[in-house]
Amino acid sequence: MEKAKILDQAAIKRALARITHEIIEKNEGAEDICLLGVQTRGVPIAEILAANVKLFEDVDVPVGYLDITYHRDDMSTSDKERKAGECHIPCDITDKTVIIVDDVLYTGRTVRAAIESVFSFGRPKKLQLAVLVDRGHRELPIKADYVGKNVPTSHHEKISVKIDGVDDETAVYISKQ
């Protein structure tokens, strides 16, 4: 399998710093924001964004995580029961701007499931989406508010995000399936 690195650790750091600035600018600060990472790699990305907000604005942004298994439309009920994990919502999300954070945006089905999960915990004032990589090929009308890098792909290619803490490096790769 041929594999090429499309983002190294420095490029990811710059992309996430830029996304952080865009979040702060679009929301006129960060006081009413909650970041919810989609497990697995969306969680450390959300934590990096929160650390950047603290660095840039001196605001502590709550970070939680979503396990979207129960809301997926591509798994049987028995698979959902076997694989489902927990969600952690660190604050009351009512009247907050909730930003769903994920590593790769592809068909949009994961985001749809994440949206359903969020609404099972409350009704945010706004719901936004931040992704490290948008690879196209949407099956649902979903668009990210914040994108680290757009990477046009074919259906025969795969994007792999590696994040330190989950993986042994921080990088993004593209490969043929």
Side-chain angles (χ1 to χ4, degrees), residues 9 52 74 97 126:
Q9 185 170 7
N52 285 347
D74 60 349
T97 296
K126 288 189 227 172

mmCIF file of all heavy atoms in Angstrom, residues 9 52 74 97 126:
data_model
loop_
_atom_site.group_PDB
_atom_site.id
_atom_site.type_symbol
_atom_site.label_atom_id
_atom_site.label_comp_id
_atom_site.label_asym_id
_atom_site.label_seq_id
_atom_site.Cartn_x
_atom_site.Cartn_y
_atom_site.Cartn_z
ATOM 1 N N GLN A 9 3.800 17.213 11.644
ATOM 2 C CA GLN A 9 3.406 17.769 12.940
ATOM 3 C C GLN A 9 3.361 19.296 12.918
ATOM 4 O O GLN A 9 2.422 19.906 13.441
ATOM 5 C CB GLN A 9 4.372 17.286 14.019
ATOM 6 C CG GLN A 9 3.970 17.724 15.405
ATOM 7 C CD GLN A 9 4.788 17.061 16.494
ATOM 8 O OE1 GLN A 9 5.762 16.355 16.229
ATOM 9 N NE2 GLN A 9 4.391 17.263 17.726
ATOM 10 N N ASN A 52 -5.026 26.071 22.716
ATOM 11 C CA ASN A 52 -4.739 27.262 21.908
ATOM 12 C C ASN A 52 -5.597 28.447 22.353
ATOM 13 O O ASN A 52 -5.104 29.571 22.440
ATOM 14 C CB ASN A 52 -4.985 26.982 20.422
ATOM 15 C CG ASN A 52 -3.911 26.130 19.786
ATOM 16 O OD1 ASN A 52 -2.840 25.916 20.343
ATOM 17 N ND2 ASN A 52 -4.210 25.618 18.598
ATOM 18 N N ASP A 74 -25.168 3.126 9.980
ATOM 19 C CA ASP A 74 -24.533 2.074 9.195
ATOM 20 C C ASP A 74 -24.125 0.870 10.040
ATOM 21 O O ASP A 74 -23.293 0.078 9.645
ATOM 22 C CB ASP A 74 -23.311 2.629 8.452
ATOM 23 C CG ASP A 74 -22.256 3.200 9.389
ATOM 24 O OD1 ASP A 74 -22.550 3.354 10.593
ATOM 25 O OD2 ASP A 74 -21.153 3.503 8.915
ATOM 26 N N THR A 97 -22.378 27.817 22.341
ATOM 27 C CA THR A 97 -21.931 27.451 21.001
ATOM 28 C C THR A 97 -21.133 26.168 21.157
ATOM 29 O O THR A 97 -20.068 26.159 21.777
ATOM 30 C CB THR A 97 -21.066 28.555 20.377
ATOM 31 O OG1 THR A 97 -21.871 29.727 20.221
ATOM 32 C CG2 THR A 97 -20.530 28.127 19.023
ATOM 33 N N LYS A 126 -25.806 27.540 19.166
ATOM 34 C CA LYS A 126 -25.248 27.306 17.825
ATOM 35 C C LYS A 126 -24.495 25.992 17.850
ATOM 36 O O LYS A 126 -23.936 25.600 18.871
ATOM 37 C CB LYS A 126 -24.235 28.393 17.451
ATOM 38 C CG LYS A 126 -24.777 29.735 17.144
ATOM 39 C CD LYS A 126 -23.649 30.592 16.575
ATOM 40 C CE LYS A 126 -23.619 31.943 17.230
ATOM 41 N NZ LYS A 126 -22.462 32.734 16.862
#
